[in-house]
Coordinates of all heavy atoms in Angstrom, one line a residue:
H1384 N 128.6 139.9 125.4 CA 129.9 139.3 125.7 C 130.0 139.0 127.2 O 130.5 139.8 128.0 CB 131.0 140.3 125.3 CG 132.4 139.7 125.3 ND1 133.4 140.2 124.6 CD2 132.9 138.6 126.0 CE1 134.5 139.5 124.8 NE2 134.2 138.6 125.7
H1386 N 131.0 135.7 130.1 CA 131.5 134.4 130.4 C 130.8 133.9 131.6 O 131.2 134.2 132.7 CB 133.0 134.5 130.6 CG 133.8 135.0 129.4 ND1 134.4 134.2 128.5 CD2 134.1 136.3 129.0 CE1 135.0 134.9 127.5 NE2 134.8 136.2 127.9
K1471 N 133.5 132.2 117.7 CA 134.6 133.0 118.3 C 135.9 132.3 118.1 O 136.1 131.1 118.4 CB 134.3 133.0 119.8 CG 135.3 133.7 120.7 CD 135.2 135.2 120.6 CE 136.1 135.9 121.5 NZ 135.7 135.9 122.9
Y1473 N 139.6 132.5 119.5 CA 140.6 133.0 120.5 C 142.0 132.9 119.9 O 142.7 131.9 120.2 CB 140.5 132.2 121.8 CG 139.2 132.5 122.6 CD1 138.1 131.7 122.4 CD2 139.1 133.6 123.4 CE1 136.9 131.9 123.1 CE2 137.9 133.8 124.1 CZ 136.9 133.0 124.0 OH 135.7 133.2 124.7
Y1476 N 144.8 131.6 122.3 CA 144.4 130.8 123.4 C 144.4 129.3 122.9 O 143.7 129.0 121.9 CB 143.0 131.1 123.9 CG 142.9 132.4 124.7 CD1 143.9 133.4 124.7 CD2 141.7 132.7 125.3 CE1 143.6 134.6 125.3 CE2 141.5 133.9 126.0 CZ 142.5 134.8 126.0 OH 142.2 136.0 126.6
H1522 N 139.0 137.3 119.4 CA 139.8 137.9 120.5 C 141.1 138.4 119.7 O 142.0 137.6 119.4 CB 140.2 136.9 121.6 CG 141.1 137.5 122.6 ND1 140.7 137.8 123.9 CD2 142.4 137.9 122.5 CE1 141.7 138.3 124.6 NE2 142.7 138.4 123.8
A1523 N 141.1 139.7 119.4 CA 142.1 140.2 118.5 C 143.4 140.7 119.2 O 143.6 141.9 119.4 CB 141.5 141.4 117.7
V1572 N 135.7 141.9 119.2 CA 135.2 142.1 120.6 C 136.3 142.9 121.4 O 137.4 143.0 121.0 CB 134.9 140.8 121.2 CG1 133.7 140.1 120.5 CG2 136.1 139.8 121.3
H1573 N 135.8 143.4 122.5 CA 136.6 144.1 123.5 C 137.8 144.9 122.9 O 139.0 144.7 123.3 CB 137.1 143.2 124.6 CG 137.8 141.9 124.3 ND1 138.7 141.8 123.3 CD2 137.7 140.6 124.9 CE1 139.2 140.5 123.3 NE2 138.6 139.8 124.3
Y1617 N 142.4 140.6 129.7 CA 142.9 140.5 128.3 C 141.8 140.9 127.4 O 140.7 140.3 127.5 CB 143.4 139.1 128.0 CG 144.5 138.7 128.8 CD1 144.8 137.3 129.0 CD2 145.4 139.5 129.5 CE1 145.8 136.8 129.7 CE2 146.5 139.0 130.3 CZ 146.7 137.7 130.4 OH 147.7 137.2 131.1
P1618 N 142.0 141.9 126.4 CA 143.2 142.7 126.4 C 143.3 143.6 127.6 O 142.3 143.9 128.3 CB 143.0 143.5 125.1 CG 141.7 143.0 124.5 CD 141.0 142.2 125.4
D1644 N 132.4 141.8 128.5 CA 133.4 140.8 128.7 C 133.4 140.4 130.2 O 134.5 140.2 130.8 CB 134.8 141.3 128.3 CG 135.8 140.2 128.2 OD1 135.4 139.0 128.3 OD2 137.0 140.5 128.1
Ligands
LIG1182 ZN1 138.8 137.8 124.7

Side-chain angles (χ1 to χ4, degrees):
H1384 190 160
H1386 298 268
K1471 178 76 177 284
Y1473 288 95
Y1476 291 10
H1522 175 110
V1572 295
H1573 53 42
Y1617 298 156
D1644 195 11

